Amino acid sequence: QSSSVRVWNASYENNPPLLGLGISVIKEGAKGVPEKMMAVVGYIKADLFLKNLRSSTLTQVFVVDGAGKILLHTKSELMNSSADYANYPIVSQLNSGQVSNGVLEFAFNDKNYLGAFSKTGFSGVSVVSQVESEQAFLAVSHLVRRSLIFALMVSTITFIATVFFSRTLTKPLNNLLEAMEKVSDGNLDAVLKVKSHDEISILSNSFNRMTSDLKSSRVQLEEINRELENKVIDRTKKLEEQNRAVKEAQEALLRTTRLASVGEIAGRTAHEVLNPLTSIMARVQRVQKRLGEEISNDKNLLGEILKAWRGEFEEKGFEGFLNSLKEPSQVNPGMNLLQEDLSNIGAIFDRWDEGLNTLSTDTRFLLQQAGRIEKILTSMRSLSHAGGQRQQFKGHEILHDAVNIVADLFSKNKIKLSEGYKASDHDIIVDRDELIQVLTNILKNSLQAVLENKTKNGSVSIETSCENQNLVIDIVDNGIGVAPENLSKLFESHFSTKSPDLGTGLGLSISRRFVRAFNGDLFLVTSKPGIETRFRIELPLAVKTQEAAAA
């Protein structure tokens, strides 16, 4: 009753083997309330169990309870005495572990055993099987020995058969190899004779057909070679005549190419000279306007003052002239005529001083642009390379110069040109004039795009930033943009959407060539008509260029 279920060995000497089974039973009354506890005890004959345990001649199987005592064993004396196997190695291992199955190699009474156990999960009952290691491996040794003997017999028979069949195969194969060597030496009369009807015979017949076909092909080839030699002689004569004609055509093409090169150089020169020439014309027009308006006005004012003074002097004499100058001014209250005239003369001289300074600046500008034209004409004599005189400059300094060059043109067309520099004024290694040429080309293209868009708020901006040790220069406008079908042709030489009087299509091509000569690049970032068209110039900083040169 304390353990609910119990199994025990109920055998006694000189009596049949028995197993005892006890089960605790609780009788319940109404509503499941326990009323009485009882123990049901039964006995089971163990004959059939023992018969199964004796079925193996090598292994020994027995059953133990949870305490390690024998329940079933093939030896009746152990079963009758309920022998205690708790300290037996495999039983001890069984009771000490948490696993339900296991295998163990152990020694007991100077003998080595292989054992296995399995827990039944019923009242701690476990089944144990064991066999002496020597008996277990003895059977394996017999099996291995018989297998080796059988394998040796099979190998011997196979070797004998192989030697026999190899002799029947190697002889015709040797004959075939000898014939192939004769064929490789050029003797196509070699013939194989094989009397067998196996695969060697088929191979020999195929070889004989092959040599016969080769012999026939060689005869035909020799005949074709003789005909070909005659044709080559005739063809050589015709080629000589054609070569003379080709040479004459090449000379004509060379002359045409030279003329085309001269035309291309002239076109590039005209395009590149046009940019500084346009700046010169815009600055000259501004000087002309200033001369026509400001200086003419100053001249007229001086003339009026001189005329008034001369009239007063001739009419009233010196004393009367002095007295008339003391009269109050009708134009400037609080001043007399002398003060008014002196003030006007002083203002004229101030404007002349300012005009002389401006004229000096304009003169330097015109000389600078004329120098650019001279350099362009000189560099166009040899177009083999770009970027001749590279020096280290401040990037923003060159940008300011480029903006100053096109400022008159933008002002004349009333288009806003702004500068937004986010990068520091880094140093770059470039040819200053060529970079200015690139910048003015793109700025003028942007100006023309804005004018063609005919918007009231047309604007062009030049921005800078620094990325990956590169000075990034963006020129942005809200002009008509670039049509999608023209994107792939944008940097091709002679491609232009403008009329011939506005452009030759060389500006962007030459500009990219110059920038790449500085180890930089020029490309279109985005084009949204009427919103934003962005061209980008990337130039390596001087530090990056110097590091690359050192490496």
Side-chain angles (χ1 to χ4, degrees), residues 49 146 193 233 236 308 318 429 453 494 497 505:
F49 292 112
R146 285 196 297 269
K193 296 180 180 180
I233 294 172
T236 302
F318 184 72
I429 299 177
N453 197 32
H494 297 292
T497 59

Side-chain angles (χ1 to χ4, degrees), residues 228-244:
L228 184 59
E229 288 177 359
N230 296 329
K231 290 181 179 180
V232 167
I233 294 172
D234 295 337
R235 184 61 177 167
T236 302
K237 293 180 180 179
K238 293 180 180 180
L239 286 175
E240 290 176 353
E241 296 175 357
Q242 291 178 355
N243 285 336
R244 286 193 294 270

Side-chain angles (χ1 to χ4, degrees), residues 335 447 496:
M335 297 177 63
L447 174 63
S496 177

Side-chain angles (χ1 to χ4, degrees), residues 147-165:
S147 299
L148 289 175
I149 293 172
F150 179 75
L152 182 60
M153 293 174 61
V154 172
S155 300
T156 303
I157 295 172
T158 302
F159 176 74
I160 295 172
T162 301
V163 171
F164 175 76
F165 285 110

Side-chain angles (χ1 to χ4, degrees), residues 167-383:
R167 291 181 178 178
T168 60
L169 291 174
T170 55
K171 185 176 180 179
L173 287 176
N174 288 331
N175 295 335
L176 179 60
L177 289 174
E178 291 175 359
M180 291 179 67
E181 289 179 357
K182 293 179 180 179
V183 171
S184 64
D185 293 335
N187 182 10
L188 299 180
D189 295 324
V191 178
L192 286 174
K193 296 180 180 180
V194 179
K195 298 180 180 180
S196 62
H197 299 284
D198 53 6
E199 289 80 0
I200 300 297
S201 175
I202 297 173
L203 181 61
S204 300
N205 294 332
S206 298
F207 178 80
N208 291 333
R209 286 195 299 270
M210 180 191 71
T211 55
S212 177
D213 293 340
L214 286 175
K215 185 176 181 179
S216 176
S217 298
R218 185 168 68 178
V219 173
Q220 294 176 4
L221 185 61
E222 290 175 351
E223 184 178 354
I224 291 172
N225 284 337
R226 286 191 295 271
E227 295 177 358
L228 184 59
E229 288 177 359
N230 296 329
K231 290 181 179 180
V232 167
I233 294 172
D234 295 337
R235 184 61 177 167
T236 302
K237 293 180 180 179
K238 293 180 180 180
L239 286 175
E240 290 176 353
E241 296 175 357
Q242 291 178 355
N243 285 336
R244 286 193 294 270
V246 169
K247 288 181 179 179
E248 294 175 358
Q250 286 177 343
E251 291 176 357
L253 180 61
L254 182 59
R255 290 192 295 271
T256 304
T257 303
R258 288 173 179 171
L259 291 174
S261 299
V262 171
E264 182 179 0
I265 293 173
R268 292 187 180 185
T269 305
H271 178 273
E272 298 306 324
V273 167
L274 187 61
N275 284 331
L277 187 60
T278 302
S279 301
I280 291 175
M281 291 178 64
R283 186 59 60 93
V284 170
Q285 288 173 357
R286 192 176 77 173
V287 173
Q288 184 180 21
K289 179 179 178 182
R290 187 168 62 251
L291 290 174
E293 295 179 359
E294 296 178 3
I295 296 180
S296 295
N297 291 337
D298 291 341
K299 177 184 176 183
N300 292 334
L301 182 56
L302 282 175
E304 291 176 1
I305 293 173
L306 181 60
K307 182 179 179 180
W309 283 5
R310 182 176 294 167
E312 291 290 336
F313 180 76
E314 291 177 354
E315 180 182 354
K316 300 178 181 180
F318 184 72
E319 293 294 335
F321 169 66
L322 292 178
N323 291 329
S324 64
L325 292 178
K326 296 179 181 180
E327 294 178 3
S329 171
Q330 296 179 359
V331 178
N332 296 314
M335 297 177 63
N336 56 34
L337 292 177
L338 178 60
Q339 291 173 331
E340 179 184 349
D341 290 340
L342 292 176
S343 176
N344 288 331
I345 293 172
I348 290 172
F349 276 98
D350 290 340
R351 284 195 294 272
W352 282 2
D353 286 339
E354 182 181 354
L356 288 174
N357 292 332
T358 303
L359 184 61
S360 176
T361 301
D362 292 341
T363 303
R364 286 196 302 271
F365 175 81
L366 295 175
L367 289 174
Q368 184 184 44
Q369 296 307 303
R372 283 187 60 206
I373 293 175
E374 181 185 8
K375 185 171 181 179
I376 290 171
L377 292 174
T378 302
S379 64
M380 283 301 175
R381 293 176 182 173
S382 176
L383 296 177

Side-chain angles (χ1 to χ4, degrees), residues 426-445:
H426 294 288
D427 287 345
I428 53 177
I429 299 177
V430 295
D431 184 290
R432 180 181 178 278
D433 291 331
E434 289 178 356
L435 182 55
I436 288 178
Q437 186 176 334
V438 171
L439 294 168
T440 54
N441 273 339
I442 302 175
L443 287 170
K444 289 180 180 179
N445 287 345

Side-chain angles (χ1 to χ4, degrees), residues 27 36-37 49 70 77 86 97 113 222 312 326 366-367 380 405 467 527 543:
K27 180 180 179 182
K36 182 184 294 185
M37 179 179 292
F49 292 112
I70 293 295
E77 64 272 14
Y113 292 90
E222 290 175 351
E312 291 290 336
K326 296 179 181 180
L366 295 175
L367 289 174
M380 283 301 175
I405 290 171
E467 296 179 5
S527 180
V543 175

